[in-house]
Amino acid sequence: EGIVMTLWFDFTAGMADESPAPRWPDARVEARPWTRWWWLGSAVDTANLTYNLEEYARAGLGGVEITPIYGVQGNEARDIPFLSPAWMNALQHTSHESHRVGMEVEMNTGTGWPYGGPEVTIEDAATRVLFRQYELKEGERLEEPITATEKNQQQVARLSRVMAFSVDGECLDLTSRCDAGGRLEWVAPRGKWQVIALLTGKTLQMVKRAAPGGEGYVMDHLSAQAVRNYFDRFDRAFTASGAPYPHAFFNDSYEVYGADWTPDMLEQFHARRGYKLEEFLPEFLGGGRKETRARVVADYRETMAELLLENFTRQWTAWAHGHGSLTRNQAHGSPGNLIDLYAAVDIPECESFGISDFHVQELRRDSLFKKNDSDLSMLKYASSAAHVTGKPLTSSETFTWLTEHFRTSLAQCKPDLDLMFVAGVNHVFFHGTPYSPRDAAWPGWMFYASVNLSPTNTIWRDAPGLFRYIERCQSFLQAGRPDNDFLVYLPVYDLWHEQGGRMLPFSIHDMARRAPRFIEAVRRIGESGHDVDYISDQYLLSSTVEGGLIKTSGGTTYKALVVPGVSLMPLPVLERVIDLVRRGARVVFIEQYPQDVPGLARLEERRKELKRLLATLPAVPSFDETRVAPLGKGSIITGKDYARTLAACGVPAEELKSRHGVQLIRRANETGHHYFISSLQAGEIDGWVPLGVHAAGAVIYDPMTGKAGAAKVREEGGKTYLYLQLKSGASLILQTYTREMPPVRAWTYYEEQGSGVTIDGDWTIRFVESDPPIPGTFRVGRVRSWTEIDHPAARVNSGTALYATRFTLPEEAADGWRLALGDVHESARVRINGQEVGRAWAVPMTLDVGSYLHAGENLLEVEVTGLPANRVADYDRRGVAWRIFKEINIVDLAYKKTTYGHWATLPMGLTGKVRLIPLKKIEQ
């Protein structure tokens, strides 16, 4: 259940305004960020487990997900085999200590990825299909035995079917004519014949990045028995040890490479699709008529999707529930309907992979980065499944491969984090935090594809600012209920029919190629000022109408269903769509009505029924024009232009999106709505902006500082307007109230008066932390990178430097003062006159400091923490052996072995103008 939203008060804040200050919601442990906890070699011990967990809790993490992986070189004696008694004891200690420090524990149902291990037999291993093809003429027989040609398949492949096809269209099943050795006793009759043999082989894929005790074949996710057998090992380990089951079990993205079959695929296909796949093997292999070929392959893809959903995802969730645990799943990469797969678990999880470029002002993007393949449209599959089915949490694998190791700043993290939030994520998991013993030499134990959010990374010093930001945001994002305007139909049958090849995995790296028209539809709906959730055929069939709104099985309501240029739609789905309209729903058809039915069985019969159904829809002379036509109690809206057609629904748009270009997500609650808003763009907002909902009042919450206050709100032309100030890269939370709210302290709006005064006095630099150590205090005059000071270690160290200066407060009248730190490499803590002001870790690097200043001379101290890049580059130039990890060890963004000795020295510290900007209150 979501948190019930009310108006919180803080009566203790002593300010001039005597009204109470709004208070942030009480946050559950799920509101804090969690992290994937890499156990290298599972070489853990109780003392260091406790040490690590205490450090994580102190910084603000809420939970860990244990994923064991490969170990550390030369550390084999300390490795603990997965699920062994010693491993289960470590899990039990972790559970106890986590709860002691206020955290929670989850675990991967395996090691590395995907699921597999030493108990997966060759029979239960991931399966692939093999084909042998022969041409025979009348009177000829096949002389050679039918066996696999690939050497590694010859001992594992089993002959499943032998089919003969004549040029005249005759099909014969010759399977019974083959002996155990694969010899075919058959003489070709009149004509030319194509003999196709189907063999069930094995992918022979081993678990990737496996931990000790986790090595072995990847299991067959499409086989119910193989999946059942896999979980037996876990049942035995937990039963024997008495260890508590974790809060949840986790499954990583589907990376079962080449697994396009299961031993009973032909029988399953026949039972589910109504005809025999083996009788269409020429089409399945790319021959025959193009349309028949596409339909056969699409039917195969649908069958595979159902097997993965039923035999793996649902069975895994039922098994976890049987032990009191939840499931958290990354469905992307799967050869199935992503909505159905995500919806079959308790916590759907999406994944970012790389870094986005939003052109945010003042944000430095490192030159060595990976472009984010996971855009908004991809991230929304997981949250859509959660919203449609009423699940309260959507998690994310966050910060995978943003930049090269040692070069990722907290500021670079925030924009992609905000993208997660506006996509519907409300339960962040970092990727990740390696367990590292206290005595491990720097840089500690590491994982090759992570930002490495851990105490061994310098960014950990100011990471609590990021963690607190996440907690504040998620305390709202986990509250209330989804309030996206529209459902958009996921045209999976179009995707299954249009794409080449046989197996069709929906990987985040391929979606621009797999679903370009759907991605464009989602983008254009967003640009029109609306937000959507995706819905699959299964969940559309179970949706109802309530008060003119479409209500899904999870209880979430939507103003309309959008069908974006769909060609293929199953008859039961179209029947349900028409029924929803007749009962009062609004349905938007963009570009066309559905044109055909998917699949091959009973094709002409189903086409006739489709024609009958389409005849019941309002006639549309041209989709170039927007039309609204009544049908029953509801209406059908047709058109081609998204903005114009959606406007005909009468649903107010969020002009913050359509006109001002900001990203946002809106949720409903008992007293109104709440928004998360982020300016992921170069532009800024300073003025009155309209809201898409009515509000008698509103409160602004700043998740960076924790400040909150009543916003300026007015009514004009039937719309609610809010006075909003939002810098490029900044974000805020807005709570609106449908009815008049009790008086609370007002939000203070400021206007900057000019560019301010540069604090360019006699600056000093002293290192608070440094490796190598740099003693003493350095007078530098103006601010500059600490790599420029006169000390041999300054260009190769990592740590934190204290920049200090004294300045005289200008005598000009001001209602407040804003400290602009300029170019910060990479995060800062500010003190003025000995008082802690706050952290600056993301752009804009500014802090409001008026209450800390006094007339005359003031002391400004800025503790700046840099990145560890210069230090590790020096290690490589000197040949320090820090790459001590097995298997892949440490690689670059292209997965190639590399060293960093060639890196140029990165600036560290303060390098731009530090300014004090006078502020004037805006009273209107």
Side-chain angles (χ1 to χ4, degrees):
E1 295 292 335
I3 300 171
V4 175
M5 297 297 295
T6 59
L7 185 59
W8 294 271
F9 302 98
D10 182 358
F11 290 95
T12 63
M15 296 177 64
D17 188 341
E18 294 182 359
S19 300
R23 184 169 60 83
W24 291 80
D26 294 329
R28 302 176 297 173
V29 67
E30 288 88 355
R32 303 204 299 269
W34 293 28
T35 193
R36 184 167 303 172
W37 199 14
W38 305 107
W39 281 13
L40 278 77
S42 296
V44 299
D45 61 70
T46 56
N48 279 297
L49 285 170
T50 296
Y51 158 71
N52 277 265
L53 289 168
E54 288 178 344
E55 289 295 309
Y56 304 158
R58 187 177 298 114
L61 291 181
V64 291
E65 167 231 300
I66 300 167
T67 293
I69 51 165
Y70 53 81
V72 177
Q73 297 171 11
N75 198 51
E76 292 79 7
R78 297 173 65 183
D79 288 349
I80 302 176
F82 183 56
L83 298 184
S84 67
W87 199 96
M88 299 305 294
N89 287 340
L91 175 64
Q92 194 159 19
H93 179 80
T94 297
S95 179
H96 177 271
E97 291 296 89
S98 294
H99 294 156
R100 180 180 65 82
V101 298
M103 295 175 64
E104 193 51 88
V105 178
E106 299 183 355
M107 67 175 280
N108 193 318
T109 325
T111 78
W113 62 90
Y115 288 174
E119 293 192 5
V120 176
T121 64
I122 193 65
E123 290 75 22
D124 284 353
T127 304
R128 56 176 288 207
V129 64
L130 309 170
F131 292 99
R132 297 291 309 276
Q133 299 186 58
Y134 310 90
E135 300 292 335
L136 297 179
K137 293 182 290 188
E138 180 180 352
E140 294 181 341
R141 67 170 61 239
L142 190 61
E143 300 297 337
E144 62 179 277
I146 301 174
T147 58
T149 57
E150 298 175 39
K151 189 173 182 180
N152 65 355
Q153 295 293 323
Q154 290 174 356
Q155 298 301 313
V156 297
R158 300 289 180 266
L159 186 61
S160 178
R161 293 289 191 281
V162 179
M163 306 296 294
F165 303 89
S166 74
V167 293
D168 297 325
E170 189 177 359
C171 170
L172 301 175
D173 187 339
L174 306 179
T175 308
S176 62
R177 300 202 176 200
C178 284
D179 63 19
R183 291 197 172 274
L184 175 63
E185 296 297 329
W186 180 71
V187 177
R190 174 184 294 184
K192 294 182 179 179
W193 292 81
Q194 180 186 21
V195 176
I196 301 177
L198 185 156
L199 299 94
T200 300
K202 296 293 174 178
T203 68
L204 304 178
Q205 181 186 357
M206 308 297 283
V207 175
K208 193 174 180 181
R209 321 299 183 213
E215 307 93 337
Y217 289 125
V218 170
M219 75 170 178
D220 183 352
H221 287 62
L222 308 182
S223 164
Q225 187 60 52
V227 173
R228 196 155 42 244
N229 293 343
Y230 180 77
F231 294 133
D232 285 346
R233 185 186 184 200
F234 291 84
D235 289 334
R236 295 196 307 271
F238 278 95
T239 299
S241 67
Y245 280 84
H247 175 262
F249 286 99
F250 170 70
N251 179 52
D252 211 333
S253 54
Y254 190 86
E255 299 181 36
V256 189
Y257 303 127
D260 57 2
W261 208 252
T262 195
D264 66 343
M265 174 65 84
L266 293 177
E267 292 75 17
Q268 292 288 346
F269 185 96
H270 185 200
R272 295 164 185 271
R273 304 282 82 81
Y275 66 97
K276 293 184 176 182
L277 176 60
E278 58 265 39
E279 294 179 355
F280 290 85
L281 289 183
E283 289 80 5
F284 188 60
L285 293 173
R289 293 177 59 235
K290 181 178 180 180
E291 182 185 1
T292 303
R293 180 167 70 244
R295 291 180 178 276
V296 169
V297 171
D299 281 340
Y300 155 77
R301 289 167 173 166
E302 185 174 8
T303 302
M304 176 174 280
E306 292 172 354
L307 293 176
L308 180 61
L309 174 64
E310 297 167 16
N311 293 344
F312 170 65
T313 313
R314 287 179 178 165
Q315 184 178 184
W316 172 53
T317 297
W319 171 81
H321 288 180
H323 296 299
S325 298
L326 304 175
T327 50
R328 205 178 92 247
N329 183 45
Q330 295 182 0
H332 48 272
S334 300
N337 190 316
L338 294 186
I339 295 298
D340 292 345
L341 292 167
Y342 276 125
V345 300
D346 299 298
I347 306 173
E349 177 163 300
C350 60
E351 173 186 355
S352 67
F353 200 92
I355 195 167
S356 305
D357 187 6
F358 298 108
H359 308 291
V360 171
Q361 292 181 32
E362 300 179 8
L363 177 63
R364 258 187 334 275
R365 189 167 71 163
D366 190 77
S367 59
L368 304 176
F369 69 93
K370 182 181 286 289
K371 179 182 176 296
N372 188 10
D373 288 333
S374 196
D375 68 353
L376 183 70
S377 69
M378 186 67 216
L379 297 173
K380 286 179 71 67
Y381 282 92
S383 61
S384 294
H387 293 170
V388 164
T389 57
K391 294 178 170 64
L393 298 176
T394 300
S395 59
S396 61
E397 177 187 306
T398 313
F399 307 149
T400 308
W401 272 136
L402 298 189
T403 71
E404 284 289 8
H405 290 292
F406 307 99
R407 298 175 71 106
T408 306
S409 67
L410 297 174
Q412 289 173 307
C413 292
K414 183 179 179 290
D416 279 292
L417 173 66
D418 286 0
L419 178 66
M420 293 281 194
F421 288 153
V422 298
V425 168
N426 59 5
H427 190 29
V428 163
F429 278 74
F430 296 136
H431 185 276
T433 304
Y435 164 98
S436 192
R438 187 198 294 258
D439 61 356
W442 191 84
W445 292 3
M446 296 188 63
F447 181 69
Y448 74 96
S450 295
V451 169
N452 189 29
L453 271 163
S454 65
T456 62
N457 193 336
T458 57
I459 65 174
W460 185 261
R461 192 172 194 271
D462 287 326
L466 167 67
F467 299 170
R468 190 74 174 102
Y469 171 79
I470 292 171
E471 180 180 345
R472 289 182 179 127
C473 291
Q474 293 188 159
S475 70
F476 274 96
L477 293 170
Q478 291 175 7
R481 58 190 181 276
D483 193 41
N484 290 341
D485 294 324
F486 302 129
L487 285 168
V488 61
Y489 175 72
L490 180 66
V492 72
Y493 288 98
D494 284 5
L495 304 181
W496 280 338
H497 274 250
E498 294 168 356
Q499 300 286 326
R502 285 202 302 271
M503 192 169 72
L504 189 64
F506 292 113
S507 161
I508 63 174
H509 310 294
D510 297 326
M511 291 305 283
R513 178 167 55 91
R514 299 292 191 206
R517 287 187 295 155
F518 183 71
I519 293 172
E520 177 67 9
V522 173
R523 184 186 67 80
R524 291 173 68 179
I525 294 171
E527 289 176 348
S528 72
H530 298 284
D531 206 346
V532 300
D533 285 323
Y534 314 156
I535 192 166
S536 67
D537 298 79
Q538 174 186 339
Y539 290 100
L540 190 52
L541 287 170
S542 61
S543 295
T544 57
V545 179
E546 186 175 284
L549 303 176
I550 299 173
K551 186 176 183 179
T552 63
S553 60
T556 309
T557 57
Y558 299 86
K559 282 90 171 175
L561 168 70
V562 180
V563 184
V566 173
S567 295
L568 300 167
M569 183 177 282
L571 289 174
V573 176
L574 183 56
E575 288 173 338
R576 188 60 183 153
V577 169
I578 295 173
D579 180 64
L580 291 173
V581 177
R582 292 188 186 280
R583 293 175 183 270
R586 284 172 289 193
V587 174
V588 180
F589 287 95
I590 300 290
E591 295 181 355
Q592 62 184 18
Y593 286 142
Q595 304 292 298
D596 206 344
V597 291
L600 184 62
R602 300 172 32 252
L603 181 57
E604 293 309 315
E605 177 186 339
R606 290 185 296 121
R607 278 174 165 167
K608 288 179 182 177
E609 179 62 13
L610 174 70
K611 186 176 181 180
R612 184 191 68 78
L613 286 173
L614 291 175
T616 67
L617 297 176
V620 181
S622 172
F623 276 79
D624 290 338
E625 297 181 11
T626 298
R627 294 173 178 268
V628 180
L631 182 64
K633 297 179 181 179
S635 59
I636 287 181
I637 300 99
T638 55
K640 194 171 185 179
D641 180 86
Y642 274 86
R644 193 162 56 243
T645 308
L646 294 178
C649 293
V651 178
E654 290 289 358
E655 294 182 42
L656 275 170
K657 294 177 66 173
S658 60
R659 288 178 52 194
H660 299 281
V662 303
Q663 295 276 14
L664 62 86
I665 188 168
R666 185 183 69 223
R667 293 178 68 85
N669 58 68
E670 297 300 319
T671 55
H673 297 81
H674 53 277
Y675 292 72
F676 173 80
I677 303 171
S678 182
S679 185
L680 295 174
Q681 58 175 350
E684 300 179 347
I685 298 175
D686 189 347
W688 290 94
V689 295
L691 297 179
V693 297
H694 170 74
V699 176
I700 293 173
Y701 292 81
D702 181 357
M704 293 293 287
T705 65
K707 296 178 181 178
K712 296 180 185 295
V713 174
R714 74 185 187 200
E715 288 289 319
E716 184 178 310
K719 291 183 179 180
T720 298
Y721 283 78
L722 173 108
Y723 196 88
L724 181 66
Q725 293 178 316
L726 196 64
K727 296 283 190 181
S728 174
S731 50
L732 58 81
I733 291 163
L734 180 68
Q735 168 80 43
T736 71
Y737 294 86
T738 304
R739 297 182 178 87
E740 185 177 356
M741 64 184 190
V744 294
R745 186 165 299 147
W747 181 261
T748 304
Y749 295 88
Y750 286 116
E751 179 183 4
E752 294 184 356
Q753 301 294 294
S755 59
V757 178
T758 300
I759 301 177
D760 57 359
D762 188 15
W763 285 86
T764 62
I765 298 177
R766 176 176 61 83
F767 286 90
V768 178
E769 298 174 7
S770 180
D771 196 346
I774 302 178
T777 299
F778 300 84
R779 295 191 177 277
V780 293
R782 61 175 177 81
V783 292
R784 65 187 66 191
S785 169
W786 78 56
T787 60
E788 298 178 12
I789 66 174
D790 187 18
H791 192 283
R795 291 175 59 84
V796 298
N797 75 318
S798 67
T800 299
L802 175 64
Y803 286 70
T805 190
R806 294 184 179 274
F807 67 94
T808 300
L809 184 68
E811 294 182 0
E812 62 186 280
D815 295 325
W817 294 91
R818 181 164 293 156
L819 180 67
L821 294 173
D823 212 4
V824 180
H825 300 264
E826 294 293 335
S827 60
R829 300 181 188 181
V830 175
R831 289 193 300 273
I832 294 179
N833 298 320
Q835 297 184 69
E836 297 288 339
V837 175
R839 287 183 172 97
W841 56 269
V843 299
M845 294 283 188
T846 60
L847 294 168
D848 287 355
V849 298
S851 61
Y852 300 91
L853 300 174
H854 55 236
E857 187 177 76
N858 292 264
L859 172 63
L860 172 62
E861 297 174 293
V862 186
E863 289 187 1
V864 185
T865 299
L867 297 175
N870 293 342
R871 184 179 176 195
V872 78
D874 177 62
Y875 268 35
D876 278 353
R877 286 190 289 270
R878 293 190 290 115
V880 176
W882 63 271
R883 292 177 179 80
I884 57 173
F885 315 107
K886 292 184 177 179
E887 217 216 81
I888 195 171
N889 208 331
I890 297 293
V891 293
D892 66 10
L893 294 170
Y895 290 82
K896 295 179 181 179
K897 292 183 179 180
T898 185
T899 60
Y900 306 134
H902 62 284
W903 282 356
T905 301
L906 294 182
M908 299 290 164
L910 295 178
T911 62
K913 292 181 178 180
V914 179
R915 293 178 295 127
L916 200 60
I917 304 171
L919 304 175
K920 180 182 179 181
K921 285 184 180 179
I922 300 175
E923 300 295 346
Q924 80 254 30

